[in-house]
Amino acid sequence: MTTTLSTSRAAGTPPAVPTRVRQSIRERVAPYAYIAPFFLIFAVFGVVPLLFTFYVALFDWNPIGEHVFIGLDNFTRLLDDARFWNAAWNTISIWLWSTVPQLLLALVLAHLLNHARLRFAVFFRMSMLVPYITSVAATAIVFAQMFDRDYGLLNWLLGLVGVEPIDFKQSVWGSHLLIAAMVTWRWFGYTTLLYLASLQAIPRSLYEAAAVDGAGSWKQFRHISIPSLRPVIVFTIVTSTIGGLQIFTEPLLISRVSAVTCGPVRQCQTLALFLYEQGFGQFQFGYGAAIGVALFVLIIVFATLNYLLSTRVRPER
């Protein structure tokens, strides 16, 4: 046997790999193989377009003509463009008006649905998804009618207390309120279900022990529910920030005339609409790409700030 083994090694035959070693390698490689398709698709449809946007922003890019390299001139022009700053302010304002009420309303509703003793509780919980699955166009039509100056339900109610009709679509704060109401109505149910699912994972014994110690509903909500929901709250804050700063469809649909500018004085034009106007309306692809880069930086900054602020709330021991 010794002679045979020595002869095999001398002939250059590699030693056999133990079966246990092969299985260990497979176990290590398998998880990466499972997630590889996602990262491949993300690279093709996410990273590559993002890098190409940065590249196009450095050019005077004519889609059917020449591509002239101009360096940072598009960004310099952006900083001097009053329309850009107006769109940035509109975006931030609409995001604040929609995100804060949405998250607070979802948190309160999730707490009530988790503790209330309701018949057909599953029906009420699942009905929270109705706004989420409703078409954005249908939502825009309904809310535009509700906020209409002449025949809207809201102005009719205001008229009962002697308030003159308000033209929500043509005013800055009114159009922001209208869009924020649409966004809040559409997304609060989805956020409520996220909070509700997390609340149901909290052991009931914690609430029972708190009740025995004399803690009321508010103290239980403050000292048990909110700290336990901290990871989900951070998640919803970050995702709401990303989605809110990219808002496009709602302001596009509420204005019948000059939809891309969202009104004659751009009272509700967001950065996404401004990008679309310059890139696909004026065919200034380089300038539109610069707007996209600025929007990307704005989202990163606000998402990071919100994450840092929200993670300062530590669970109570």
Side-chain angles (χ1 to χ4, degrees):
M1 177 180 292
T2 305
T3 305
T4 305
L5 181 60
S6 302
T7 304
S8 176
R9 290 180 178 176
T13 304
V17 179
T19 304
R20 183 177 299 177
V21 174
R22 288 199 300 266
Q23 291 178 347
S24 177
I25 294 175
R26 290 174 184 173
E27 291 174 355
R28 293 178 182 178
V29 174
Y32 297 99
Y34 292 145
I35 65 175
F38 165 77
F39 285 101
L40 180 62
I41 295 174
F42 176 73
V44 173
F45 296 101
V47 177
V48 173
L50 179 63
L51 297 177
F52 186 67
T53 301
F54 280 88
Y55 174 75
V56 174
L58 302 176
F59 288 81
D60 182 5
W61 192 286
N62 190 323
I64 57 175
E66 296 182 354
H67 307 155
V68 181
F69 179 79
I70 58 175
L72 299 178
D73 287 357
N74 280 324
F75 296 98
T76 304
R77 174 186 172 189
L78 198 67
L79 296 176
D80 295 332
D81 194 344
R83 299 172 301 173
F84 166 76
W85 295 109
N86 174 71
W89 160 249
N90 290 338
T91 302
I92 296 173
S93 175
I94 293 171
W95 165 67
L96 287 174
W97 278 81
S98 59
T99 301
V100 176
Q102 174 201 148
L103 297 181
L104 293 177
L105 179 61
L107 192 60
V108 173
L109 283 176
H111 179 74
L112 293 176
L113 289 173
N114 188 48
H115 287 82
R117 299 183 180 276
L118 300 173
R119 297 184 63 185
F120 310 109
V122 176
F123 168 77
F124 286 106
R125 291 169 181 172
M126 296 307 298
S127 64
M128 293 288 101
L129 280 177
V130 172
Y132 177 69
I133 63 178
T134 304
S135 168
V136 183
T139 302
I141 292 173
V142 171
F143 275 83
Q145 292 295 324
M146 289 177 58
F147 284 78
D148 187 71
R149 181 189 62 182
D150 300 319
Y151 306 105
L153 175 63
L154 187 57
N155 272 316
W156 177 76
L157 293 174
L158 292 175
L160 296 179
V161 294
V163 179
E164 293 294 326
I166 300 173
D167 194 347
F168 288 95
K169 297 180 183 179
Q170 299 302 320
S171 64
V172 175
W173 72 269
S175 58
H176 291 188
L177 180 62
L178 168 56
I179 297 170
M182 293 170 56
V183 175
T184 300
W185 184 84
R186 185 171 182 232
W187 287 101
F188 84 92
Y190 171 79
T191 309
T192 299
L193 290 184
L194 288 179
Y195 291 157
L196 180 60
S198 299
L199 285 174
Q200 291 182 335
I202 301 174
R204 288 286 179 180
S205 58
L206 293 179
Y207 293 102
E208 293 172 357
V212 171
D213 291 338
S217 178
W218 167 247
K219 287 188 176 181
Q220 294 179 23
F221 176 70
R222 179 183 175 185
H223 297 288
I224 298 177
S225 299
I226 293 182
S228 301
L229 285 175
R230 175 176 166 269
V232 185
I233 292 175
V234 173
F235 171 77
T236 54
I237 289 175
V238 173
T239 54
S240 298
T241 300
I242 296 173
L245 294 177
Q246 291 179 325
I247 187 169
F248 175 84
T249 309
E250 286 83 356
L252 179 69
L253 293 177
I254 67 168
S255 180
R256 297 179 180 178
V257 182
S258 60
V260 177
T261 60
C262 196
V265 294
R266 302 175 182 268
Q267 64 267 20
C268 57
Q269 186 184 46
T270 60
L271 283 173
L273 276 177
F274 186 48
L275 186 158
Y276 182 84
E277 177 194 11
Q278 297 301 309
F280 298 96
Q282 305 295 328
F283 296 105
Q284 299 181 15
F285 280 16
Y287 192 51
I291 300 170
V293 172
L295 179 58
F296 171 77
V297 173
L298 184 68
I299 291 173
I300 292 297
V301 170
F302 274 82
T304 303
L305 288 176
N306 279 328
Y307 173 79
L308 294 176
L309 290 174
S310 57
T311 52
R312 291 177 65 90
V313 181
R314 299 294 180 182
E316 299 190 8
R317 302 294 181 182

